[in-house]
Amino acid sequence: AQSVSQHNHHVILSEAASLELGCNYSYGGTVNLFWYVQYPGQHLQLLLKYFSGDPLVKGIKGFEAEFIKSKFSFNLRKPSVQWSDTAEYFCAAENTGNQFYFGTGTSLTVIP
Amino acid sequence: KAGVTQTPRYLIKTRGQQVTLSCSPISGHRSVSWYQQTPGQGLQFLFEYFSETQRNKGNFPGRFSGRQFSNSRSEMNVSTLELGDSALYLCASSLRSGSYEQYFGPGTRLTVT
């Protein structure tokens, strides 16, 4: 069955630390990949997306993600986190049938 | 422009009852998707409607159904509620079906007792 796995359930970092959140998907065909973020008390919103082309995609607020096809991965990175990055992060994959699969989310807490 | 709205925001029902949730997409958006969010399972795709037609369906039992109206508003219905249906139900709208950015609403928190 198709799925998206996020291996880090809870991450706690100090401000200015670097961030990498793992995401793996299980689907052999062409996929579109997304990272969504949910800040406390707010709606889910799109951070970045990958459809094709350059496997390194840049999103809002200094986030980026790298698509590695051979590893079925789409990890999210940020060189230096801020307290305002405290949120829940969801990785998602869309298959060729336009069905979306979300990971279970990673809760990030940034300590000032 | 106004975002995605969902009503009601909170709902408490008892087992065996049925419930209808409503979603109004962003103006101009014709695709509406529904998700169930629970702590252990994350977001699970229920179905997507585009131009009043169900385009995609996730792996949920037939007790979960939906529809979309000509103004793109969508409703989701759950019949014969079970305790396990307690969750946050999220609606997301996008301009068209497939590969377009989804905009999420605040969700409806359903509690089944």
Side-chain angles (χ1 to χ4, degrees):
Chain A
Q2 295 163 33
S3 65
V4 172
S5 301
Q6 292 181 242
H7 312 296
N8 318 102
H9 297 295
H10 301 281
V11 173
I12 301 174
L13 295 172
S14 298
E15 271 193 322
S18 64
L19 169 74
E20 179 157 5
L21 301 182
C23 172
N24 288 89
Y25 63 93
S26 64
Y27 181 66
T30 303
V31 290
N32 296 321
L33 296 161
F34 307 80
W35 275 97
Y36 282 85
V37 61
Q38 188 167 27
Y39 297 104
Q42 296 187 27
H43 308 173
L44 270 166
Q45 57 184 282
L46 183 69
L47 257 186
L48 49 78
K49 61 189 177 189
Y50 171 78
F51 288 173
S52 63
D54 189 344
L56 185 63
V57 292
K58 296 190 184 299
I60 60 171
K61 304 188 181 186
F63 286 91
E64 64 179 31
E66 184 175 14
F67 169 56
I68 303 180
K69 189 174 181 179
S70 61
K71 295 184 178 180
F72 296 88
S73 70
F74 190 57
N75 292 354
L76 180 71
R77 299 196 294 247
K78 185 170 183 179
S80 175
V81 294
Q82 301 173 312
W83 174 78
S84 58
D85 293 325
T86 294
E88 186 132 18
Y89 293 81
F90 293 90
C91 180
E94 179 192 17
N95 64 17
T96 50
N98 301 135
Q99 291 177 314
F100 278 83
Y101 295 86
F102 278 76
T104 51
T106 297
S107 174
L108 171 66
T109 301
V110 180
I111 302 168
Chain B
K1 107 177 127 172
V4 178
T5 57
Q6 292 185 245
T7 57
R9 293 293 310 279
Y10 302 91
L11 206 48
I12 300 175
K13 290 285 189 179
T14 56
R15 274 181 300 176
Q17 287 187 312
Q18 73 156 14
V19 68
T20 299
L21 312 181
S22 180
C23 171
S24 292
I26 291 172
S27 177
H29 285 194
R30 294 169 61 194
S31 170
V32 173
S33 297
W34 288 91
Y35 295 86
Q36 181 192 66
Q37 186 178 14
T38 56
Q41 301 287 329
L43 275 83
Q44 292 184 284
F45 173 71
L46 280 155
F47 28 66
E48 182 208 358
Y49 284 87
F50 177 73
S51 292
E52 302 177 65
T53 302
Q54 187 180 87
R55 290 289 306 268
N56 281 296
K57 191 176 190 306
N59 297 323
F60 278 81
R63 300 185 297 107
F64 292 81
S65 63
R67 58 178 175 168
Q68 187 180 34
F69 301 95
S70 58
N71 61 358
S72 295
R73 190 177 70 84
S74 177
E75 287 183 346
M76 188 191 93
N77 185 275
V78 188
S79 62
T80 321
L81 284 166
E82 300 176 1
L83 293 178
D85 297 332
S86 294
L88 181 68
Y89 289 88
L90 293 171
C91 163
S93 78
S94 62
L95 272 172
R96 284 183 283 221
S97 179
S99 304
Y100 286 86
E101 180 175 347
Q102 294 185 79
Y103 293 81
F104 283 83
T108 294
R109 173 74 63 187
L110 172 65
T111 302
V112 182
T113 62

